């Protein structure tokens, strides 16, 4: 039995509050994880029943728009039908068996959500990727994961064709397109022809659900595997508490489908009965985002800090977001200045969260919690999060150290299973009783965590340890600064010094650089401890970023230190 009912049969009808409360209790670690769990059967099909019984307002479960008039709306019942069709395509046409891997690289098209659910229905392990992947990236990922199948769109198909001869495990290629391509099967056509009858496989809670390649902010991307329960149940509580989702909410997260945040959204919204809103957003455009927020009854918004940095450049008072009530951010540090600008113009706080591909939400500023600007919030249960030294000893409040999650005596169920095919790396990620995130921070006496930087990003100048984010945030408070990245730079006397790469706001771009440099240096000395000021400043037109929008300080650092 699955924990919500026998497989292949409709689950017993329960009160929605009881059901969500049960999932939430498991998610918080207060109830044991069931032996069998399948998100499609136990969560989505359950909501389909609840919806039929009138336990949900008449909003879609999935709502997609492309900004050019096209729209897709599915309730849970329709999502169930469509995803069962998709599951039949994966099982019958692609011969995917439970445990087989499928790479899923699509722009923000409805098929991404369908195929994600279809993988869960068939037991196939999904490997999402971002659409900007190059031939080299695709080859690396297909070879490393030994994926049997790939589904992608017109833009990426030629890149896959260029390397598929080097990927012997790859057996089937599905194209999401209205046209055809030799060597590829047309997914939309297959979907139309497939049956809506499909028996969801029984999956054990520990069976793999997905594999993520990390963003590769530092070094080569690593394969992180999560179980059915880890992702399927691990976001229910943070979905309630941090994202503040209920069955009447419409949640828009602008994240790319290839990044963990798209999965976080799926696995936090649907258990809570919420609607996932998606805009195709072929490119990030502040005006499109703001107009969409004004035109649709979106209640909950999540964007990476980079996007909020763009949004606050606009005159936000010109827009009316009638339904918006809760805003979130995460993925990199949020500069307090951006939070303040958003709040003063929109009237809503930005609730920052912190996590990794390896984990679910580690720290969060939950709804209703006092927000301390600049902090990434408190530990998110069931995690026991501590600041530890390099041997895994817990440090006192205020002391800087490694952000760590307790994995002994018991590893949280909502945690990556391993770095795939890399037991040494998996083992090296632990010290004593803790998993070491690779990030540095301190915790204050109230339990709030203050991010300092990734381990490698912390600057050591004449024995002063300086976190780049603090300097970047100080710079961001100056009107001339649109964005800044701070890294170490070699110095014959101090060993290393603080260097800032700055993208100027358009109105400042023609100012005298030397004068502006001095002004910015004085500004940093005024707003933070003077020893942190950037001794070197360079103005650039853009900062190197990962496709998920994170600043790649490691690239700038290598450039500074003459390393490739
Ligand atoms: P790689 O491990 O390959 O270098 P990555 O760590 O960037 O890639 P992810 O797992 O997507 O890949 O990102 C997690 C990291 O993002 C965290 O370890 C942390 O450094 C950063 N991060 C996430 N949220 C926040 C936040 N709120 N504040 C500061 N940093 C954050
Ligand atoms: Mg990482």
């Amino acid at each position: 039995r699955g924990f919500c009912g026998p497989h292949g049969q409709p689950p017993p009808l329960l009160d929605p509050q009881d059901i969500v409360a049960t999932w939430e209790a498991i998610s918080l670690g207060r109830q044991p994880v069931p032996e069998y769990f399948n998100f499609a059967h136990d969560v989505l099909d359950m909501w389909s029943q609840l919806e039929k019984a009138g336990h949900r307002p008449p909003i879609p479960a999935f709502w997609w728009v492309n900004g050019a008039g096209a729209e897709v709306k599915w309730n849970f019942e329709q999502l169930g039908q469509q995803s069962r069709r998709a599951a039949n395509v994966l099982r019958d046409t692609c011969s995917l068996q439970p445990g087989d891997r499928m790479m899923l690289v699509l722009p923000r098209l409805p098929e991404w959500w369908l195929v994600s659910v279809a993988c869960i229905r068939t037991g196939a392990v999904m490997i999402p990727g971002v659409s900007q992947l190059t031939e080299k990236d695709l080859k690396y990922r297909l070879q490393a994961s030994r994926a049997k199948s790939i589904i992608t769109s017109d833009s990426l198909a030629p890149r896959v064709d260029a390397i598929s001869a080097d990927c012997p495990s790859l057996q089937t290629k599905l194209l999401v397109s209205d046209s055809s391509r030799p060597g590829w099967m047309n997914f939309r056509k297959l979907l139309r022809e497939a049956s809506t009858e499909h028996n969801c496989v029984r999956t054990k809670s520990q069976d793999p659900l997905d594999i993520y390649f990390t963003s590769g902010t530092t070094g080569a991307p690593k394969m992180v595997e999560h179980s059915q329960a880890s992702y399927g149940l691990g976001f229910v509580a943070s979905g309630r508490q941090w994202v503040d989702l209920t069955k009447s909410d419409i949640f828009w997260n602008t994240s790319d489908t290839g990044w963990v945040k798209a999965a976080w959204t799926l696995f936090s919204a649907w258990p809570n009965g919420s609607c996932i809103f998606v805009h195709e957003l072929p490119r990030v455009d502040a005006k499109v985002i703001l107009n969409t927020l004004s035109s649709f009854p979106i209640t909950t918004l999540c964007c990476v800090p980079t996007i909020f940095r763009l949004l606050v450049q606009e005159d936000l008072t010109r827009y009316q977001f009638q339904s918006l009530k809760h805003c979130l951010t995460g993925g990199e540090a949020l500069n307090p200045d951006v939070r303040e600008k958003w709040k003063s113009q929109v009237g809503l706080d930005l609730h920052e969260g912190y996590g990794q591909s390896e984990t679910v939400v580690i720290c969060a500023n939950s709804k209703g919690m006092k927000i301390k600007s600049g902090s990434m919030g408190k530990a998110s249960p069931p995690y026991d999060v501590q600041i530890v030294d390099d041997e895994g000893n817990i440090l006192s409040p205020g002391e800087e150290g490694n952000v760590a999650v307790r994995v002994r005596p018991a590893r949280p169920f909502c945690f990556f299973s391993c770095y795939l095919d890399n037991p040494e790396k998996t083992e090296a990620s632990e010290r004593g009783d803790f998993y070491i995130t690779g990030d540095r921070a301190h915790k204050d006496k109230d339990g709030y965590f203050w991010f300092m930087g990734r381990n490698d990003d912390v600057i050591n100048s004449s024995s002063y340890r300086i976190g780049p984010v603090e300097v970047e945030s100080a710079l961001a408070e100056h009107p001339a600064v649109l964005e800044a990245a701070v890294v170490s730079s070699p110095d014959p006397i101090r060993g290393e010094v603080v260097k800032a790469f700055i993208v100027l706001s358009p109105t400042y771009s023609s100012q005298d650089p030397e004068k502006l440099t001095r002004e910015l240096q004085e500004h940093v000395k005024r707003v933070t401890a003077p020893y942190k000021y950037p001794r070197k400043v360079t103005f650039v037109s853009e900062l190197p970023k990962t496709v998920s929008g994170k600043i790649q300080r490691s690239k700038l650092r290598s450039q500074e230190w003459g390393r490739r």
Side-chain angles (χ1 to χ4, degrees):
R1 284 174 65 96
F3 85 108
C4 282
H7 262 257
Q9 289 173 31
L13 216 51
L14 298 167
D15 181 87
Q17 265 175 337
D18 287 350
I19 299 170
V20 178
T22 306
W23 296 329
E24 195 176 343
I26 297 170
S27 180
L28 289 167
R30 293 183 187 147
Q31 274 192 34
V33 176
E35 184 183 358
Y36 287 92
F37 175 74
N38 182 287
F39 186 82
H41 175 270
D42 294 327
V43 174
L44 298 180
D45 294 349
M46 174 71 89
W47 268 111
S48 191
Q49 299 289 316
L50 291 166
E51 181 181 74
K52 261 192 235 155
H55 288 305
R56 198 172 167 265
I59 57 167
F62 180 78
W63 188 351
W64 174 90
V65 299
N66 73 349
E71 195 169 47
V72 170
K73 280 181 181 178
W74 291 319
N75 60 17
F76 278 105
E77 172 69 10
Q78 292 159 326
L79 173 69
Q81 281 177 6
Q82 293 293 340
S83 62
R84 279 191 286 275
R85 284 178 196 265
N88 284 324
V89 174
L90 301 196
R91 188 192 60 193
D92 301 337
T93 314
C94 302
S95 309
L96 290 182
Q97 301 293 315
D100 284 344
R101 295 171 187 163
M102 170 163 219
M103 199 157 167
L104 176 53
V105 192
L106 289 173
R108 299 176 189 85
L109 292 175
E111 284 83 356
W112 187 85
W113 284 264
L114 277 192
V115 175
S116 297
V117 177
C119 282
I120 303 175
R121 291 195 184 280
T122 50
V125 182
M126 59 180 146
I127 311 173
V130 291
S131 296
Q132 293 88 337
L133 292 176
T134 61
E135 288 173 16
K136 185 166 155 261
D137 299 332
L138 281 163
K139 187 165 134 184
Y140 171 74
R141 283 163 173 75
L142 285 167
Q143 287 181 343
S145 67
R146 299 182 297 281
K148 257 179 95 174
S149 189
I150 185 167
I151 182 161
T152 192
S153 59
D154 288 318
S155 63
L156 216 80
R159 285 177 241 165
V160 177
D161 282 339
I163 50 94
S164 51
D166 298 326
C167 307
S169 306
L170 189 63
Q171 289 169 11
T172 47
K173 300 188 279 190
L174 290 176
L175 191 66
V176 177
S177 168
D178 292 325
S179 50
S180 59
R181 183 178 176 88
W184 291 73
M185 291 181 289
N186 189 298
F187 179 73
R188 286 187 172 147
K189 181 166 176 287
L190 291 167
L191 191 72
R192 276 194 300 274
E193 292 163 357
S195 159
T196 55
E197 300 289 315
H198 178 270
N199 271 345
C200 191
V201 297
R202 293 183 85 203
T203 42
K204 289 203 157 185
S205 289
Q206 292 315 315
D207 288 344
L209 174 98
D210 59 21
I211 296 168
Y212 268 93
F213 284 83
T214 56
S215 303
T217 313
T218 51
K222 305 172 277 282
M223 279 188 288
V224 171
E225 185 182 86
H226 280 273
S227 69
Q228 296 282 335
S230 176
Y231 261 27
L233 285 163
F235 291 106
V236 185
S238 52
R240 269 299 301 125
Q241 297 171 12
W242 173 43
V243 196
D244 191 38
L245 292 172
T246 67
K247 61 188 178 181
S248 35
D249 283 308
I250 300 180
F251 180 19
W252 184 22
N253 180 352
T254 57
S255 168
D256 190 289
T257 53
W259 192 31
V260 283
K261 269 177 84 187
W264 289 28
T265 300
L266 191 162
F267 292 110
S268 61
W270 282 342
N272 285 296
S274 315
C275 168
I276 295 175
F277 181 90
V278 181
H279 189 299
E280 190 179 1
L281 216 63
R283 57 186 194 87
V284 172
D285 179 325
K287 290 201 171 61
V288 170
I289 295 178
L290 296 170
N291 284 327
T292 306
L293 276 177
S294 310
S295 323
F296 292 92
I298 294 156
T299 61
T300 315
L301 174 72
C302 183
C303 300
V304 285
T306 303
I307 293 189
F308 280 114
R309 282 199 286 270
L310 270 184
L311 297 184
V312 298
Q313 300 295 314
E314 303 288 319
D315 177 6
L316 297 173
T317 54
R318 285 183 41 231
Y319 298 87
Q320 276 217 317
F321 311 136
Q322 285 162 18
S323 305
L324 192 66
K325 64 181 177 65
H326 191 56
C327 304
L328 308 130
T329 192
E332 66 174 347
L334 174 71
N335 313 110
D337 176 62
V338 176
R339 179 200 304 283
E340 274 138 39
K341 284 187 179 138
W342 182 261
K343 184 158 186 189
S344 69
Q345 295 200 59
V346 179
L348 294 169
D349 263 314
L350 279 181
H351 294 254
E352 184 176 348
Y354 157 78
Q356 301 188 308
S357 311
E358 289 87 341
T359 65
V360 295
V361 181
I362 301 177
C363 290
N365 286 283
S366 290
K367 177 92 177 179
M369 199 174 116
K370 178 185 164 200
I371 292 183
K372 296 194 188 184
S373 199
S375 154
M376 53 193 188
K378 293 187 185 184
S380 183
Y383 288 164
D384 174 3
V385 188
Q386 300 289 346
I387 301 296
V388 305
D389 67 14
D390 290 344
E391 275 72 53
N393 303 304
I394 298 176
L395 299 175
S396 308
E399 282 188 276
E400 180 219 316
N402 301 295
V403 181
V405 180
R406 186 182 289 283
V407 289
R408 275 186 214 89
R411 193 176 173 92
F413 80 92
C414 43
F415 215 70
F416 74 122
S417 313
C418 61
Y419 291 116
L420 215 63
D421 302 330
N422 202 338
E424 301 81 25
K425 175 124 198 100
T426 309
E427 203 185 314
S429 68
E430 292 177 13
R431 296 296 139 66
D433 293 342
F434 290 92
Y435 159 77
I436 306 290
T437 58
D439 293 317
R440 309 281 297 180
H442 76 267
K443 177 161 107 164
D444 69 19
K445 57 181 180 2
D446 301 324
Y448 285 73
F449 286 82
W450 299 79
F451 184 80
M452 185 173 196
R454 288 163 185 269
N455 219 346
D456 304 336
D457 287 344
V458 175
I459 303 158
N460 192 341
S461 185
S462 306
S463 304
Y464 284 106
R465 290 175 61 73
I466 301 164
V469 173
E470 220 182 340
V471 184
E472 289 161 9
S473 292
L475 283 164
E477 281 181 38
H478 193 284
V481 178
L482 187 61
E483 276 195 309
V486 163
V487 299
S488 68
S489 177
D491 181 85
I493 296 160
R494 294 183 172 81
E496 51 189 70
V497 293
V498 176
K499 171 157 183 178
F501 291 83
I502 294 171
V503 181
L504 287 173
S505 303
T507 43
Y508 282 81
S509 53
S510 52
Q511 288 214 355
D512 172 25
E514 277 179 32
K515 190 165 158 267
L516 203 51
T517 297
R518 279 194 302 278
E519 189 178 321
L520 289 168
Q521 287 172 327
E522 288 312 310
H523 163 80
V524 174
K525 284 188 200 169
R526 258 196 320 276
V527 300
T528 184
Y531 68 85
K532 293 177 191 166
Y533 88 91
R535 285 170 192 272
K536 299 184 186 175
V537 172
T538 296
F539 298 109
V540 290
S541 58
E542 58 179 358
L543 299 173
K545 287 187 184 159
T546 64
V547 284
S548 51
K550 299 191 207 195
I551 299 171
Q552 283 177 305
R553 294 185 193 82
S554 59
K555 280 214 170 139
L556 295 171
R557 196 167 50 239
S558 305
Q559 197 177 304
E560 278 312 289
W561 291 81
R563 285 193 301 255
R564 286 271 148 213

